[in-house]
Amino acid sequence: MIKFLRKISQNLLSEGKTGTYFKYAIGEIILVVIGILIGLQINNELIGKIC
């Protein structure tokens, strides 16, 4: 999966589509942040059940 995403980003940069690359990079960052927030929410719920 990582090789696939890396290949997409390299193709966008080599074709000179920097605007599209930045949109792609921002999308990846947003997905990571959403994943972290979901993980924190689940962790908080589990801690609440224990205490």
Side-chain angles (χ1 to χ4, degrees):
M1 183 70 168
I2 293 174
K3 288 182 183 179
F4 175 72
L5 295 175
R6 186 176 296 147
K7 189 173 183 179
I8 290 174
S9 62
Q10 287 175 351
N11 285 340
L12 289 173
L13 285 175
S14 67
E15 293 174 3
K17 297 181 179 179
T18 55
T20 306
Y21 174 74
F22 284 125
K23 290 178 190 175
Y24 170 79
I26 290 171
E28 273 193 55
I29 292 169
I30 290 171
L31 286 175
V32 168
V33 169
I34 290 172
I36 291 171
L37 291 175
I38 290 171
L40 287 172
Q41 182 66 31
I42 292 170
N43 188 33
N44 287 339
E45 289 178 8
L46 291 175
I47 289 175
K49 289 180 182 179
I50 292 172
C51 296

